[in-house]
Amino acid sequence: AGAETVKRAVELDLASRFQESLVCYQEGIDLLLQVVKATKDEAKKHRYRQKISEDFFSDGKYHKQIRIEENATGFGYEKLFQEYLTEIVSEVWVEDPYIRHVHQASGFSLYNFLRFCEMLVKGPCKLKAIHLLTSYDEGIGRSQQITGLEEIQQSLRNYGVTLNIAFSSSIHDREIRFNNGWMIKIGRGLDYFKKPQGRFSIGYCDFDLRPCHETTVDVFHTKHTKKM
């Protein structure tokens, strides 16, 4: 209950509902501390405090971790990102070195990025700009990569969204940042879905039904939590 109350406090804070957010912060922290105070075993009390610190207040940052198991389904982009896409989000930064391929043999990273952009365009955020940092395809697919990204860029422009594309040969990290303070790091980047069994198989179009590779998702927020 305390964990859920703190999470709700962060959501209200991001929505600029500061008075309600303050009440939730106080209630959530009180609930968590009540558990600690009611525990007589000092070793357990220490573990509870450590767990609270790890989950919510690591170096003053909110941190939540999601483990996606091998072949798990139900982890489409809306499932992972929608709760962080508040109405005040207007800019998104995507760093992923492998936004390159369109062929099944190599992974559908360009199509995955397009799906991600479609989710952003649908809202509820008022998106104005997406900033993509990736690396060049080192093989014969470079021209296809550039063409694909330019086509996405033009299509987004029709929706009033600017796509800024930059390339780096040294990029390794995979992370997505929203200008409301949320940052999501996925171990495999946006390409954590398995190849569909065929073009007309269930899960080809609906990512919630597509089996996933095993990966870890870490969610951080840097502005709205306090250290206990």
Side-chain angles (χ1 to χ4, degrees):
E4 289 300 317
T5 305
V6 171
K7 180 180 176 181
R8 177 61 176 160
V10 174
E11 293 171 351
L12 291 168
D13 202 350
L14 293 174
S16 299
R17 295 163 64 180
F18 302 119
Q19 196 61 38
E20 295 170 74
S21 173
L22 179 59
V23 173
C24 283
Y25 274 130
Q26 292 171 337
E27 290 179 355
I29 292 172
D30 285 343
L31 286 169
L32 294 171
L33 290 177
Q34 284 173 24
V35 174
V36 175
K37 290 176 181 177
T39 303
K40 303 300 182 183
D41 188 309
E42 288 299 323
K44 285 185 178 180
K45 187 177 291 190
H46 175 74
R47 286 200 298 272
Y48 289 153
R49 283 175 174 157
Q50 188 176 35
K51 181 63 175 173
I52 291 169
S53 177
E54 289 174 355
D55 284 351
F56 300 105
F57 305 102
S58 176
D59 296 325
K61 298 179 181 180
Y62 173 96
H63 178 209
K64 170 183 174 183
Q65 188 173 83
I66 302 167
R67 183 78 176 183
I68 300 177
E69 302 293 340
E70 185 77 5
N71 291 317
T73 58
F75 289 96
Y77 293 147
E78 284 83 359
K79 170 78 172 181
L80 288 186
F81 298 108
Q82 201 67 51
E83 65 179 297
Y84 311 111
L85 290 172
T86 57
E87 292 184 0
I88 64 172
V89 172
S90 59
E91 283 190 270
V92 177
W93 289 263
V94 178
E95 294 186 12
D96 190 324
Y98 297 110
I99 306 298
R100 301 177 180 178
H101 307 293
V102 296
H103 297 297
Q104 180 171 329
S106 306
F108 290 101
S109 55
L110 272 174
Y111 281 126
N112 290 344
F113 179 65
L114 175 59
R115 290 289 186 89
F116 178 75
C117 291
E118 288 175 337
M119 178 197 66
L120 295 175
V121 168
K122 286 193 296 185
C125 57
K126 304 295 187 286
L127 193 64
K128 297 298 182 185
I130 301 171
H131 308 276
L132 172 65
L133 178 63
T134 189
S135 60
Y136 280 115
D137 190 308
E138 297 175 353
I140 59 174
R142 178 177 294 196
S143 62
Q144 193 172 40
Q145 177 194 23
I146 300 300
T147 300
L149 286 174
E150 288 178 347
E151 190 170 338
I152 295 173
Q153 186 179 51
Q154 177 58 49
S155 185
L156 283 168
R157 195 174 293 130
N158 295 333
Y159 288 86
V161 179
T162 300
L163 173 60
N164 299 306
I165 305 167
F167 296 93
S168 169
S169 59
S170 59
I171 179 177
H172 297 291
D173 291 340
R174 299 171 176 89
E175 66 180 45
I176 294 166
R177 302 189 307 276
F178 304 138
N179 68 323
N180 60 358
W182 288 107
M183 177 172 67
I184 295 92
K185 293 190 174 187
I186 308 174
R188 299 182 65 96
L190 289 173
D191 199 16
Y192 58 87
F193 299 102
K194 289 196 167 183
K195 301 167 188 173
Q197 294 181 345
R199 289 183 299 167
F200 300 100
S201 60
I202 296 298
Y204 188 92
C205 297
D206 190 336
F207 277 24
D208 280 334
L209 298 173
R210 180 87 66 88
C212 298
H213 292 287
E214 180 180 348
T215 192
T216 300
V217 181
D218 288 285
V219 181
F220 302 91
H221 193 279
T222 58
K223 298 178 182 177
H224 298 277
T225 56
K226 300 177 182 179
K227 193 170 183 179
M228 291 184 68

